[in-house]
Amino acid sequence: MKLLITGGAGFIGSNFIRYILNKYPDYKIVNLDLLTYAGNLENLRDVENNPNYKFIKGDIADKNLANDLAKDADIIVNFAAESHVDRSILDSAAFIHTNILGTHNLLEAARNNGLKRFHHISTDEVYGHLGPNDPAFNEKTPYAPRSPYSASKAAADHLVMAYFHTYNLPVTISNCSNNYGPYQFPEKLHGLFITNLLEGKKVPVYGDGRQVRDWLFVSDHCEAIDLIIHKGKIGETYCVGGNCEKPNLEITQKILELLGKGEEMIEYVKDRPGHDRRYAMNFAKIKSELGWEPRTNFDEGMRKTVEWYKNNEDWWKTIKSGEYLKYYEKQYKER
Ligand code: NAD
Ligand code: TYD
């Protein structure tokens, strides 16, 4: 089996590549990644010499490149995206380019070359947000994105389904909840808070810190994608959740506890504009149809994540210098 994985130098994509190379020693992987600020070949240092793995630097929106790579692939798994809500609030142009135009370009490449499958990685954020007593999102929840990021992901999902209905392209989509774990870029909640504390800095909690996310450990997500690309039904969407709804303050307190720090390290800062209050995923469909459910409980996932950042200081210290700092200056200046 030949997989064209896009965005494989990012957080979830790099975890997925490592997972697939370990589980299927006869599979061949091509990783197409533009190496934006979030793409990092250090994430894949341990597999770069694997004969079944090849890296290509490039843009998923490059027509000729995508078409050439699709010629030699059975399946495309599309992780490539601009993925951070706060950045989409500062400047959404790259989100439109990659998440919408890039996905469209890959769909064309898959169609022109008769691929066996196009699997698209999406998010629970396309469904909008929930009140405290609302039932969790499921595959039938109407789309209601509220940030430039989630709107661009929703547009991509619609294109993917349009290619199924219009051209019979064999597609599947997974909409997952917030992931956490090793190699997450230190701008998202876990990576930022853990590394700030390791540097002796405070952690910026937005607003009242009571926003709720449904946390999914990244290796559980990889297992779900593996099942969907092998056994999922063509033309279907699968909601993937962590069975782990937690307010941001509880995540913060857990990180403080694991690092032996006190609540004085919390700094309440101005809220994110349009901040979605709660996400939660009902994963009954993938559980009943494909037998998947999350395996990593909260304590275990948090412990493994904190340990990983403690043991990989060079990785995040390199990132948290240079360009990265400019983003933070801009973010707080413009709020
Ligand atoms: P990430 O930001 O860590 O990585 C994205 C990768 O895509 C980077 O390696 C980047 O270089 C690459 N990329 C960006 N633009 C590109 C382009 N034009 N061409 C080729 N490569 C490009 O993201 P992530 O957290 O690993 O997320 C992966 C996917 O999962 C995304 O589609 C995201 O929307 C989705 N998702 C993520 C989460 C989460 O919690 N991280 C939750 C739900 C859905
Ligand atoms: P994030 O990791 O950016 O993911 P998303 O916005 O896609 O859910 O944020 C997770 C939650 O943590 C979200 O409610 C915003 C909050 N948050 C903070 O309070 N402070 C921060 O510095 C960051 C990055 C996030």
Side-chain angles (χ1 to χ4, degrees):
M1 186 79 83
K2 291 185 271 187
L3 268 59
L4 173 57
I5 294 181
T6 68
F11 163 47
I12 307 174
S14 61
N15 276 281
F16 186 69
I17 288 175
R18 186 174 293 100
Y19 169 96
I20 291 287
L21 289 172
N22 280 334
K23 183 160 175 194
Y24 303 102
D26 55 333
Y27 280 22
K28 299 210 177 311
I29 290 180
V30 171
N31 172 16
L32 169 62
D33 195 298
L34 188 57
L35 298 184
T36 66
Y37 79 92
N40 186 353
L41 290 179
E42 289 302 321
N43 298 1
L44 291 160
R45 199 53 79 204
D46 55 329
V47 304
E48 68 185 2
N49 294 322
N50 186 316
N52 288 339
Y53 169 74
K54 190 173 166 191
F55 173 70
I56 307 277
K57 182 174 180 202
D59 188 343
I60 58 166
D62 178 334
K63 192 170 173 188
N64 293 333
L65 178 61
N67 201 53
D68 281 353
L69 294 177
K71 279 186 189 133
D72 200 28
D74 299 310
I75 299 180
I76 291 177
V77 186
N78 182 28
F79 291 92
E82 286 294 330
S83 68
H84 190 39
V85 174
D86 292 314
R87 283 183 192 257
S88 82
I89 294 168
L90 286 177
D91 184 357
S92 53
F95 290 72
I96 308 306
H97 173 82
T98 293
N99 300 3
I100 306 178
L101 300 178
T103 301
H104 174 254
N105 192 49
L106 291 175
L107 286 163
E108 280 290 297
R111 180 163 86 96
N112 290 338
N113 292 286
L115 261 66
K116 290 188 190 133
R117 181 74 72 87
F118 183 94
H119 181 69
H120 181 66
I121 309 296
S122 189
T123 166
D124 55 1
E125 303 188 26
V126 298
Y127 299 120
H129 72 161
L130 298 165
N133 300 315
D134 291 335
F137 302 129
N138 65 42
E139 292 79 1
K140 294 197 166 65
T141 305
Y143 275 41
R146 289 161 37 93
S147 72
Y149 163 68
S150 54
S152 68
K153 294 295 288 184
D157 291 10
H158 290 314
L159 280 169
V160 174
M161 290 315 294
Y163 270 65
F164 167 66
H165 292 297
T166 310
Y167 305 114
N168 288 322
L169 188 73
V171 309
T172 39
I173 299 180
S174 47
N175 293 79
C176 66
S177 59
N178 286 66
N179 285 224
Y180 70 110
Y183 298 100
Q184 185 160 35
F185 194 83
E187 66 182 349
K188 308 271 168 64
L189 181 68
H190 287 71
L192 180 71
F193 283 20
I194 296 167
T195 59
N196 269 14
L197 291 169
L198 289 172
E199 291 176 300
K201 291 186 188 150
K202 292 193 174 190
V203 295
V205 170
Y206 297 164
D208 63 7
R210 293 183 202 280
Q211 302 81 8
V212 172
R213 300 291 183 263
D214 177 1
W215 292 99
L216 171 65
F217 195 65
V218 64
S219 58
D220 290 339
H221 185 196
C222 293
E223 288 179 2
I225 301 166
D226 175 16
L227 277 170
I228 297 167
I229 63 175
H230 289 99
K231 297 186 180 147
K233 224 171 116 191
I234 300 298
E236 296 281 319
T237 287
Y238 293 90
C239 284
V240 182
N243 198 19
C244 182
E245 277 190 60
K246 302 279 178 202
N248 295 336
L249 270 181
E250 191 174 333
I251 301 293
T252 308
Q253 270 146 5
K254 188 74 190 175
I255 294 171
L256 289 170
E257 178 198 313
L258 286 165
L259 290 175
K261 306 272 183 183
E263 303 227 345
E264 72 283 357
M265 296 307 283
I266 297 179
E267 184 179 7
Y268 289 91
V269 298
K270 195 166 167 207
D271 208 354
R272 172 188 283 173
H275 198 167
D276 287 344
R277 199 68 187 163
R278 174 177 164 239
Y279 307 137
M281 274 306 217
N282 176 339
F283 57 88
K285 176 175 167 177
I286 186 170
K287 185 174 178 185
S288 68
E289 290 187 12
L290 305 182
W292 178 89
E293 58 186 322
R295 286 204 269 178
T296 311
N297 70 36
F298 179 63
D299 282 344
E300 185 191 352
M302 291 298 296
R303 194 177 36 75
K304 282 184 175 167
T305 304
V306 169
E307 278 304 304
W308 188 85
Y309 284 94
K310 273 168 84 172
N311 293 331
N312 289 276
E313 263 195 25
D314 286 350
W315 181 89
W316 58 261
K317 281 197 165 155
T318 307
I319 294 171
K320 285 187 100 170
S321 55
E323 289 300 311
Y324 175 90
L325 288 174
K326 284 193 200 143
Y327 156 69
Y328 276 96
E329 280 163 19
K330 188 162 192 255
Q331 140 128 328
Y332 287 107
K333 204 160 62 203
E334 294 195 7
R335 278 261 179 99

